């Protein structure tokens, strides 16, 4: 119903209380298994079990805790939906998702702050792009959006320099790990099971009944982990993030779009300098470049993050410069999509690598917005790795991709191949969409 791509793929431009853990205790059987304990997987599992409380659900997570990777390493921003093409799925999901998320936080008493965001033009040539962004935001029904002058910028952000800015007062910040834990609590309270330390290595149809039982007929899909443990189910939904392409290929899916990991390194303002930033301060996007550029992000704990940059990670879960995995690196650098992306953005990419190595180079970019910043005000902070889906022509896949694979298993499995930013903000709205797709494909 949304169009097709990728071998039949559908493209769309600590444990909680009461949860169980599997430790090689024979077979476990469920109606639906969700692979991946990030925000999208957790929200989708939560939505499904609330819709179908009579069914047995489980979440399989390869780490010892949920939200360990992308969901636990993001900036914590609740986006308002300014950037996305009017009428697109991303725009609609962000608008609905942010409204649902604020309501959810209110109901669950999860702390958040609507500190707002300024998208700041520091040069006059950026003003036309800023005004176009304002028109796009209006078409996306972003609340409270307005263009403000240099004087108004100073009133909202006394230390920020700019000639004009776009003010989005309802942009917020939250701790997404706390959101993920709350989704998990909801899922477990509804009767679901979360099984951690279960890295799925194979998904297959059962050819014969295990141990002479009728289990294979009633639960014809078997998921095996790297320890040889097995889980049986009727249907599978995978939300595997950085490994979504590899996991989907287990059921015969196309290798494209390929996940290429990009690491983003943040700087952190020293506590005594956090007064320099009150809300989110972002640059005006430049359509010539694939990534947004450095920005200022206050955190719910009172700290302020600066950045991130965007450089190729040498390991899919490599958060340090020295982290390296030969398979991950080899797949990235030999992929035609990455080579073409690099050639199209060679100067930009070299600049990002230079700024990643030299703190003063990154500081220079930040000083365009807050000139008072000095090298003594900042230090290196955390990093995150983004699962960037690329096609073979070097284009960033900027929409959702569903896939089912080939053969008998295709009718029993749904892969979420790509869930691009702002997936955290939109997680509850994305979960509604995924749950409806699961219901239609599996006839729940």
């Amino acid at each position: 119903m949304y169009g097709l791509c990728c071998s039949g793929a559908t493209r769309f431009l600590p444990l909680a209380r009461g949860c169980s853990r599997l430790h090689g205790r024979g077979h476990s059987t469920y109606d639906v298994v969700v692979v991946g304990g990030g925000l999208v997987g957790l929200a989708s599992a939560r939505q499904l079990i609330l819709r179908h409380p009579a069914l047995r659900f489980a979440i399989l997570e390869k780490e010892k805790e949920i939200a360990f990777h992308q969901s636990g390493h993001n900036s914590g921003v609740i986006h308002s939906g300014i950037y996305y093409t009017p009428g697109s799925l991303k725009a609609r999901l962000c608008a609905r998702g942010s409204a649902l998320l604020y309501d959810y936080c209110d109901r669950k008493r999860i702390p958040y702050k609507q500190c707002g965001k300024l998208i700041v033009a520091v040069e006059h040539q950026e003003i036309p792009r800023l005004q176009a962004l304002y028109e796009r935001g209006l078409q996306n029904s972003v609340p409270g959006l307005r263009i403000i002058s240099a004087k108004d910028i100073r009133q909202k952000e006394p230390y920020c320099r700019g000639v004009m800015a776009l003010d989005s007062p309802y942009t917020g910040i939250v701790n997404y790990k706390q959101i993920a834990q709350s989704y998990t609590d909801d899922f477990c309270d509804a009767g679901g099971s979360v099984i951690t330390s279960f890295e799925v290595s194979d998904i297959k149809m059962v050819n014969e009944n295990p141990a002479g039982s009728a289990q294979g007929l009633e639960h014809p899909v078997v998921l095996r982990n790297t320890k040889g443990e097995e889980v049986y189910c009727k249907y599978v939904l995978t939300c595997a993030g950085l490994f979504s392409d590899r996991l989907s290929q287990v059921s015969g899916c196309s290798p494209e779009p390929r996940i290429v990991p990009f690491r983003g390194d943040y700087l952190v303002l020293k506590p005594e300098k956090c007064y320099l930033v009150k809300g989110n301060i972002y640059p005006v996007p430049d359509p010539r470049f694939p990534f947004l550029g450095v920005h200022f992000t206050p955190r719910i704990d009172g700290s302020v993050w600066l950045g991130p940059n965007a450089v190729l990670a040498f390991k899919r879960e490599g958060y340090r410069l020295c982290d390296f995995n030969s398979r991950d690196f080899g797949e990235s650098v030999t992929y035609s999509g990455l080579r073409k992306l690099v050639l199209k953005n060679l100067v930009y990419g070299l600049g990002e690598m230079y700024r990643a190595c030299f703190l003063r180079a990154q500081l220079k970019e930040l000083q365009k917005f807050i000139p008072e910043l000095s090298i003594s005000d900042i230090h290196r902070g955390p990093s995150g790795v983004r699962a960037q889906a690329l096609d073979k022509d070097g284009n960033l896949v900027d929409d959702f991709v569903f896939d089912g694979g080939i053969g008998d298993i295709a009718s029993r499995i749904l892969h979420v191949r790509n869930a691009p930013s702002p997936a955290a903000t939109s997680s509850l709205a994305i979960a509604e969409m995924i749950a409806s797709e699961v219901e239609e494909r599996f006839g729940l």
Side-chain angles (χ1 to χ4, degrees):
M1 59 182 172
Y2 297 104
L4 297 177
C5 76
C6 300
S7 302
T10 306
R11 170 168 297 191
F12 307 87
L13 280 184
L15 281 184
R17 58 182 181 271
C19 288
S20 62
R21 184 191 295 265
L22 178 72
H23 281 304
R25 299 190 299 258
H27 303 304
S28 295
T29 59
Y30 301 92
D31 293 302
V32 180
V33 166
V34 178
V35 180
L39 280 162
V40 172
L42 293 169
S44 299
R46 171 188 174 274
Q47 181 66 215
L48 282 165
I49 201 170
L50 292 177
R51 291 189 189 186
H52 303 277
L55 299 182
R56 294 190 67 207
F57 288 87
I59 296 171
L60 305 184
E61 167 54 45
K62 72 184 182 71
E63 303 295 349
K64 294 180 180 180
E65 60 185 82
I66 50 94
F68 193 79
H69 291 292
Q70 290 186 101
S71 297
H73 288 81
N74 58 48
S75 63
V77 176
I78 302 175
H79 294 281
S80 58
I82 298 171
Y83 302 104
Y84 317 118
T85 303
S88 67
L89 188 60
K90 284 184 72 171
R92 299 197 306 273
L93 288 173
C94 187
R96 176 161 176 76
S98 60
L100 288 173
L101 193 62
Y102 280 129
D103 179 67
Y104 183 83
C105 289
D106 287 335
R107 288 188 287 109
K108 296 292 183 175
R109 297 184 179 180
I110 296 173
Y112 65 87
K113 183 179 180 182
Q114 286 184 329
C115 57
K117 174 168 73 173
L118 294 184
I119 301 175
V120 180
V122 295
E123 305 292 345
H124 286 280
Q125 57 263 35
E126 294 177 316
I127 291 177
R129 298 205 308 271
L130 187 73
Q131 292 172 328
L133 203 59
Y134 171 65
E135 294 298 329
R136 173 169 286 194
L138 291 181
Q139 293 179 63
N140 288 338
S141 300
V142 176
L145 206 59
R146 64 190 183 113
I147 294 281
I148 63 174
S149 66
K151 180 181 177 181
D152 293 329
I153 293 173
R154 290 281 183 171
Q155 289 180 346
K156 292 185 72 70
E157 293 284 355
Y159 299 93
C160 181
R161 167 188 171 270
V163 294
M164 189 177 287
L166 187 55
D167 179 19
S168 174
Y170 292 102
T171 296
I173 54 174
V174 74
N175 182 341
Y176 278 112
K177 273 208 166 184
Q178 194 170 357
I179 298 287
Q181 186 63 62
S182 185
Y183 290 169
T184 310
D185 291 343
D186 292 346
F187 177 74
C188 291
D189 288 345
S193 298
V194 176
I195 303 170
T196 57
S197 302
F198 194 105
E199 183 175 359
V200 175
S201 59
D202 197 13
I203 307 174
K204 288 185 176 179
M205 296 291 289
V206 178
N207 294 323
E208 58 184 24
N209 297 345
S213 72
Q215 185 170 245
L217 296 176
E218 296 175 1
H219 302 86
V221 182
V222 58
L223 299 96
R224 296 186 179 92
N225 68 7
T226 52
K227 303 172 186 175
E229 297 166 333
E230 296 178 341
V231 168
Y232 287 82
C233 64
K234 295 178 182 178
Y235 305 105
V236 180
L237 168 68
T238 74
C239 303
L242 284 157
F243 289 91
S244 59
D245 57 340
R246 287 188 189 167
L247 191 57
S248 64
Q249 289 178 66
V250 169
S251 61
C253 296
S254 166
E256 294 183 6
R258 179 80 58 84
I259 295 296
V260 177
F262 282 89
R263 194 182 73 253
D265 304 311
Y266 284 93
L267 304 177
V268 178
L269 265 182
K270 291 184 177 179
E272 63 270 21
K273 291 292 183 175
C274 287
Y275 68 86
L276 292 172
V277 178
K278 296 184 178 299
N280 294 280
I281 302 173
Y282 275 57
V284 179
D286 191 330
R288 295 176 299 169
F289 305 133
F291 299 111
L292 183 59
V294 298
H295 40 277
F296 300 73
T297 306
R299 302 278 291 175
I300 203 73
D301 63 3
S303 63
V304 178
W305 288 8
L306 318 174
N309 56 9
V311 295
L312 179 67
F314 300 150
K315 181 181 179 182
R316 291 204 180 194
E317 294 168 351
Y319 300 102
R320 299 172 300 175
L321 181 62
C322 58
D323 286 342
F324 180 83
N325 179 280
S326 57
R327 180 183 177 185
D328 294 347
F329 179 72
E331 285 186 357
S332 293
V333 298
T334 58
Y335 182 47
S336 62
L338 178 63
R339 294 198 300 270
K340 291 175 181 178
L341 178 69
V342 169
L343 289 174
K344 288 189 289 187
N345 300 277
L346 185 59
V347 174
Y348 176 84
L350 291 173
E352 286 290 273
M353 292 176 64
Y354 179 78
R355 287 186 288 272
C357 295
F358 298 100
L359 203 60
R360 288 187 181 276
Q362 199 161 346
L363 174 67
K364 188 176 180 180
E365 291 297 307
L366 295 165
Q367 286 175 329
K368 293 178 181 179
F369 300 90
I370 299 184
E372 284 84 353
L373 273 179
S374 67
I375 195 70
S376 62
D377 297 333
I378 58 178
H379 59 84
R380 294 193 182 276
S383 299
V385 179
R386 174 179 180 173
Q388 181 59 61
L390 282 180
D391 66 21
K392 63 182 179 180
D393 296 320
N395 300 311
L396 307 186
V397 179
D398 198 34
D399 221 333
F400 295 87
V401 178
F402 284 169
D403 209 340
I406 58 176
D408 293 340
I409 202 169
S411 64
R412 293 187 175 270
I413 193 164
L414 177 64
H415 298 287
V416 180
R417 297 285 300 267
N418 190 44
S421 178
T425 296
S426 307
S427 55
L428 289 171
I430 292 171
E432 292 177 335
M433 178 188 71
I434 290 175
S436 295
E437 184 74 12
V438 166
E439 289 172 336
E440 180 177 328
R441 289 205 180 200
F442 300 155
L444 295 186

